[in-house]
Amino acid sequence: MAPPSFPAIMPPEKPADRELSAAMHRLYDLWTPTEDKGNPFHTNFKYTRLTGLEGVDDRSISRRDPSKVLRIDGTYYVWYTCRRTKSPPVGPERADDATPSTDWDLAEVWYATSKDGFHWTEQGRAVERPPQGEYGGRSNCTPDILVWGGKYYLYYQAYSKKIRAFDACDVTMAEADSPNGPWRAIGRPVVDQGESGAWDEACIHDPFPLVYQGRIWLYYKGQNHNRSLEALVRAQGVAIADHPAGPFEKPAINPLLNSGHETCLWPYEGGIAALLILDGAEKNTVQFAPDGLNFEMKSHVAVPPLAPGPFVPDAYADNGDGRGISWGLCHINPAAAGYAAHSMLARFDCDLSRDVDRPAFRHKYAMRFEPETYFKGALALPDHLRTETGGTDRDTVMPNDA
Ligand code: AAL
């Protein structure tokens, strides 16, 4: 007699009395039988336009790569890369022809405040960029914030020379007694590039400090000088210190993540969770490491925020009971992505928090887009196929035999 079919009501534990396919093993071993609805690491995202931080269309002003959001005495604070240049970026391959070369070239760390997370007031420059020729004199960008011992510490990428194709830089730090500054730059790297041949030999990007297990854990994106197929394309690691100025030690187990770009992280229960976007085999996933080091995929997500700077109320609490996140700021590239873009800040909302229940963020139909969003990048059809309705994207032409 044929065994009964797999039951409609999912057994809470993996059935041992029947053969399971690889997919059904994964549903129990890797995912959750109640799929996204019952998965605390799954969410959709909704985006809201901010006021007070509008750019201009000539790409001469760019705001991007926001820090974590802090709430201090009822006021929200955010720090970000601000580029204000007469002309738009020309691309790193033309760094010797014109400036700025990239969207974060000739930039400085600025900040803004808000009472509600939607309406912001730009307060201006946080860290004074040093004169050209001095350490960090070319550009300061991609900041993040640490609160430690009652003082404030900004970690950011420092460029002393023109920004070229490898986007090579290290991470430095500035400290202040108040979130409004004045900021005192330390004037040297605090997280150095890796040794020659290492996965992080060229770049220490996207510094993201948390307080965990009594120490400062500064997660970061590393890059190397290779562009060959064998080179590790994307990886993230951590550098750990007992003092904000270092020394920062990189555990031998680095790198910790094999994908992602501008990865944001937050304390979750007794471990650390991460949102991986854009690059690598495990892009567009939320992952969790019970020890802050060994991350496992917990969900796939759609259209995640670029360069997310979440509001993480317990980023520095280190109480072993991380509560998660429900909103933050991110950036959007209105005209294009990559080096020669310009960027604007936006707000994202989600439900990756143990303290809110936002059913709208769990429903699979939450991420629906207007037809024009789908057709914006339409194929460039050959004349004999072109119709009045078809949009055309000159970069993507149908094969002639279409
Ligand atoms: C961002 C970040 C880093 C890179 C550049 C500016 O998305 O990954 O900061 O250097 O792009």
Side-chain angles (χ1 to χ4, degrees), residues 138-152:
R138 175 74 196 191
S139 194
N140 300 167
C141 68
T142 321
D144 203 11
I145 186 79
L146 166 73
V147 182
W148 176 271
K151 294 175 76 169
Y152 299 84

Side-chain angles (χ1 to χ4, degrees), residues 81-351:
T81 303
C82 187
R83 173 178 61 77
R84 291 165 178 264
T85 54
K86 291 188 182 58
S87 54
V90 297
E93 66 286 342
R94 291 187 52 205
D96 291 323
D97 303 342
T99 57
S101 62
T102 63
D103 189 25
W104 53 96
D105 188 14
L106 298 173
E108 294 182 298
V109 175
W110 283 44
Y111 79 114
T113 57
S114 172
K115 288 296 186 187
D116 57 20
F118 294 95
H119 306 290
W120 291 82
T121 303
E122 186 155 70
Q123 298 296 341
R125 182 182 298 107
V127 184
E128 192 81 28
R129 192 178 70 213
Q132 296 277 353
E134 290 186 15
Y135 174 75
R138 175 74 196 191
S139 194
N140 300 167
C141 68
T142 321
D144 203 11
I145 186 79
L146 166 73
V147 182
W148 176 271
K151 294 175 76 169
Y152 299 84
Y153 298 88
L154 278 172
Y155 293 89
Y156 52 94
Q157 296 174 199
Y159 296 83
S160 306
K161 296 178 183 158
K162 287 181 179 178
I163 302 178
R164 302 177 186 283
F166 286 113
D167 194 9
C169 67
D170 49 46
V171 159
T172 190
M173 178 270 280
E175 67 168 66
D177 301 319
S178 153
N180 298 295
W183 293 91
R184 301 175 293 275
I186 198 170
R188 62 169 173 81
V190 292
V191 183
D192 269 310
Q193 288 112 320
E195 73 276 18
S196 175
W199 68 280
D200 60 352
E201 65 181 352
C203 313
I204 307 292
H205 286 169
D206 305 329
F208 198 97
L210 294 172
V211 176
Y212 186 54
Q213 296 179 354
R215 303 180 75 192
I216 299 163
W217 286 47
L218 190 143
Y219 290 89
Y220 68 93
K221 172 179 83 178
Q223 282 183 184
N224 55 67
H225 282 119
N226 293 289
R227 287 292 181 269
S228 65
L229 278 179
E230 297 76 26
L232 179 60
V233 172
R234 179 65 66 233
Q236 327 267 331
V238 72
I240 302 172
D242 294 312
H243 185 279
F248 280 88
E249 300 149 13
K250 299 176 183 178
I253 196 174
N254 271 347
L256 307 179
L257 294 164
N258 61 39
S259 300
H261 194 129
E262 308 144 344
T263 298
C264 83
L265 302 103
W266 58 95
Y268 194 87
E269 294 177 344
I272 301 291
L275 171 60
L276 281 71
I277 68 167
L278 217 55
D279 297 333
E282 296 183 355
K283 60 180 162 300
N284 300 343
T285 60
V286 175
Q287 303 199 11
F288 177 69
D291 57 1
L293 298 169
N294 291 286
F295 286 86
E296 299 287 350
M297 285 189 289
K298 291 294 184 183
S299 83
H300 294 280
V301 290
V303 196
L306 292 178
F311 173 49
V312 191
D314 55 7
Y316 320 116
D318 192 22
N319 58 18
D321 185 31
R323 307 303 303 175
I325 62 172
S326 60
W327 71 275
L329 299 194
C330 62
H331 74 221
I332 291 174
N333 302 129
Y339 289 119
H342 76 296
S343 313
M344 60 182 282
L345 298 180
R347 171 171 166 142
F348 73 86
D349 278 83
C350 63
D351 182 357

